């Protein structure tokens, strides 16, 4: 989160409200991702222990695949919010302030376009999967459509966060956090 508190201007107060709402939505998506990961661990543990007594968990592979994809797409908004995508720090360190700003703006705009495309395709896939009531074939039918809908929701949240950042970089840049860099990560580990 940036450092501005909204000041007295109505648009700045709106920006702070938008930022906080986005932050809460992203946080909820991350919590759901963590629940998926915890479920994934539980399924793996139960299946492994079951195999020791010749009673593996039926359809554990299908459940694990669905949960893993869902966990990834629900964690993606947090990566976008923190601007923690993989970057080439060697090149970025050589940039001056103006070129660094241009690369940040370009990355945000391109990211928003890419996330829009992924979101639109994810929504189409989730809609057709839910409409068909898609399940994974196996002894226990696993409703794959739920995972596809949750993954599409993660992409929607990621796109909306990328769009928010594109607006903020031009209108309210003081509310955007600095992108996470390798130097920051190293400095935090030393403390």
């Amino acid at each position: 989160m940036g450092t501005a508190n909204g000041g007295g201007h109505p648009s700045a107060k709106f920006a702070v409200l938008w930022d906080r709402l986005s932050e809460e939505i992203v946080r909820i998506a991350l919590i759901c991702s963590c629940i998926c990961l915890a479920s994934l661990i539980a399924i793996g543990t139960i299946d492994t222990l079951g195999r020791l007594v010749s009673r593996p968990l039926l359809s554990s592979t299908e459940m694990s695949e669905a949960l893993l994809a869902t966990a990834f797409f629900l964690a993606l908004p947090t990566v976008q919010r923190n601007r923690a995508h993989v970057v080439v720090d060697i090149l970025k360190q050589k940039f001056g302030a103006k070129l660094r700003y241009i690369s940040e703006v370009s990355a945000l705009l391109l990211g928003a376009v890419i996330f829009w495309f992924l979101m639109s395709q994810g929504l189409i896939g989730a809609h057709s999967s839910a409409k068909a009531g898609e399940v994974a074939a196996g002894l226990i039918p696993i409703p794959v459509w739920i995972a596809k809908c949750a993954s599409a929701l993660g992409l929607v949240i990621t796109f909306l966060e990328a769009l928010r950042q594109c607006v903020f970089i031009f209108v309210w840049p003081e509310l955007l956090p600095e992108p996470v860099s390798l130097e920051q990560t190293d400095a935090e580990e030393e403390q």
Side-chain angles (χ1 to χ4, degrees), residues 2 8 10 16 20 25 42 45 52 63 68 76 87 90 108 114 118 130 132-133 154-155 164-165:
V16 170
R20 288 183 183 153
I25 292 169
T45 302
L52 292 174
M63 287 187 275
L68 186 60
L76 198 53
V87 295
I90 291 174
L108 285 175
I114 290 169
L118 291 171
L155 286 168
R164 182 193 69 81
Q165 290 176 347

Side-chain angles (χ1 to χ4, degrees), residues 38 88 101:
V88 181
Y101 177 77

Side-chain angles (χ1 to χ4, degrees), residues 87-106:
V87 295
V88 181
D89 284 337
I90 291 174
L91 293 177
K92 198 173 176 182
Q93 290 173 0
K94 306 272 187 217
F95 292 171
K98 189 173 186 176
L99 191 53
R100 200 172 306 127
Y101 177 77
I102 290 169
S103 85
E104 287 296 321
V105 170
S106 301

Side-chain angles (χ1 to χ4, degrees), residues 6-137:
H9 196 273
S11 72
K13 288 181 181 180
F14 169 75
V16 170
L17 179 65
W18 185 6
D19 182 57
R20 288 183 183 153
L21 178 64
S22 177
E23 183 177 38
E24 283 303 308
I25 292 169
V26 167
R27 188 178 64 78
I28 291 167
L30 184 61
I31 290 168
C32 292
S33 175
C34 291
I35 291 168
C36 288
L37 289 174
S39 301
L40 185 63
I41 291 167
I43 288 168
T45 302
I46 293 168
D47 184 49
T48 301
L49 293 174
R51 288 179 190 278
L52 292 174
V53 294
S54 299
R55 305 286 267 167
L57 182 62
L58 299 177
S59 298
S60 63
T61 302
E62 291 83 1
M63 287 187 275
S64 296
E65 290 170 349
L67 285 168
L68 186 60
T70 303
F72 172 81
F73 286 109
L74 287 174
L76 198 53
T78 300
V79 174
Q80 181 62 37
R81 179 156 181 90
N82 295 333
R83 294 166 66 196
H85 294 288
V86 175
V87 295
V88 181
D89 284 337
I90 291 174
L91 293 177
K92 198 173 176 182
Q93 290 173 0
K94 306 272 187 217
F95 292 171
K98 189 173 186 176
L99 191 53
R100 200 172 306 127
Y101 177 77
I102 290 169
S103 85
E104 287 296 321
V105 170
S106 301
L108 285 175
L109 293 173
L110 183 60
V113 169
I114 290 169
F115 286 127
W116 174 83
F117 176 74
L118 291 171
M119 175 194 69
S120 62
Q121 294 302 307
L123 288 171
I124 290 168
H127 178 263
S128 63
S129 181
K131 190 174 175 182
E134 183 180 5
V135 295

